[in-house]
Amino acid sequence: AYFRERELAVNALLQQAVIATDMGDFGAATSRYAQVAHLDPANTRASAGLQRVAVAERHWAALEQIQKLARAG
């Protein structure tokens, strides 16, 4: 029963993390992936998700910088 409950929790957290990433809420996504890693340290989706969030944050920051430069002329 414990493993089934953990699996359900992990899957729900992973789904929330994906949604948060898609919405640009990188803090929430990182938190959810970290929770998954805590519950299941061998979970490759959590480690890959954390890497995707880091890349998305860098891309988002670069886009914001480009927009600032474009507005400044």
Side-chain angles (χ1 to χ4, degrees):
Y2 166 76
F3 293 107
R4 178 72 180 137
E5 291 296 320
R6 186 180 76 174
E7 182 181 350
L8 290 172
V10 163
N11 287 335
L13 288 166
L14 287 169
Q15 184 177 26
Q16 291 170 16
V18 169
I19 292 168
T21 303
D22 290 347
M23 293 178 63
D25 190 351
F26 303 124
T30 298
S31 175
R32 297 304 180 275
Y33 283 125
Q35 288 175 293
V36 171
H38 178 75
L39 290 171
D40 183 5
N43 190 294
T44 57
R45 290 177 62 196
S47 55
L50 285 168
Q51 291 175 350
R52 276 194 310 275
V53 170
V55 169
E57 281 184 298
R58 286 194 301 274
H59 288 173
W60 193 267
L63 287 172
E64 286 180 338
Q65 186 63 27
I66 291 167
Q67 288 176 336
K68 282 183 188 177
L69 291 171
R71 284 192 293 267

